[in-house]
Amino acid sequence: NGTVSNTGACSGQFYIFSGTAGECRPPGTQTQFKNCCNSATATNGSYCDTAKEGQVTQQAANNMCHYVGTYCRESWALIGCVQSMKVYCCFKSKLARIINEQGRQQLQSFQPDMWGTPQNPRCRGFTPEEFQMLDFTKIDLTEFFNDINANLPSATSIQQGAQQKINNFQQNIR
């Protein structure tokens, strides 16, 4: 999070698994009561900021974001809040989100408010020193591994594919 010299060297603090703050608007006066926190509405709606809100809702739908909280963006006298904002810390991968959610709990540097406030979210990643202090035996990666396993072919389909290639090879050499 700093400048880069003309040789490409980083002159600021280096963070591992950093996120970025993102916002979307639930139904309210600014959105004509459309839900810009819904991925279908945010990417197609004329009342939503499709570039910003669309990206946040897509990342949230892919479990790449941590929900920080909601704040009131617009309030009317005698009525109260008429437009709120949902705030997230979004990461480039589900793995980065999981490590941030579970790793921050282990480090004093993220206490007492690990994620900041909706008005001022803390989405930074880990310094190299903080990352070295993480105890990965205490980080549950089940959600991440389930995604990997869901995309792996079954042993039967691998065996069938191998057998088919062998059969094709034998047919070609005859």
Side-chain angles (χ1 to χ4, degrees):
N1 285 358
T3 58
V4 177
S5 72
N6 57 359
T7 63
C10 179
S11 61
Q13 177 63 56
F14 178 74
Y15 291 107
I16 301 166
F17 290 132
S18 269
T20 55
E23 301 178 324
C24 62
R25 295 171 293 172
T29 56
Q30 296 176 357
T31 64
Q32 298 292 314
F33 298 96
K34 305 287 188 224
N35 186 359
C36 293
C37 293
N38 174 302
S39 58
T41 308
T43 54
N44 298 319
S46 58
Y47 301 107
C48 302
D49 182 340
T50 56
K52 291 180 183 174
E53 292 174 312
Q55 180 179 2
V56 170
T57 58
Q58 290 295 326
Q59 286 180 293
N62 289 320
N63 295 318
M64 295 166 58
C65 299
H66 175 85
Y67 176 67
V68 177
T70 301
Y71 72 92
C72 184
R73 181 171 180 170
E74 182 180 358
S75 184
W76 291 353
L78 303 175
I79 294 177
C81 189
V82 293
Q83 183 64 65
S84 58
M85 293 293 281
K86 287 187 174 183
V87 180
Y88 297 87
C89 283
C90 294
F91 300 91
K92 294 185 185 213
S93 69
K94 185 184 285 190
L95 179 62
R97 188 226 358 124
I98 292 168
I99 291 173
N100 265 276
E101 286 180 341
Q102 297 180 40
R104 287 172 183 238
Q105 297 172 11
Q106 298 178 24
L107 301 174
Q108 191 62 36
S109 56
F110 285 98
Q111 308 305 327
D113 61 347
M114 290 188 288
W115 298 96
T117 64
Q119 293 88 343
N120 190 23
R122 292 179 60 196
C123 300
R124 76 165 178 90
F126 302 100
T127 65
E129 296 79 18
E130 289 170 337
F131 195 73
Q132 287 178 336
M133 289 189 283
L134 294 179
D135 182 353
F136 279 87
T137 65
K138 295 180 179 177
I139 295 180
D140 181 3
L141 297 173
T142 304
E143 180 183 357
F144 179 70
F145 290 134
N146 286 343
D147 284 354
I148 293 171
N149 288 335
N151 293 322
L152 289 177
S154 69
T156 304
S157 66
I158 292 172
Q159 187 177 16
Q160 289 172 346
Q163 186 63 49
Q164 183 62 44
K165 288 184 183 203
I166 291 169
N167 292 342
N168 291 345
F169 177 75
Q170 289 175 341
Q171 291 292 330
N172 288 336
I173 60 170
R174 288 185 188 169

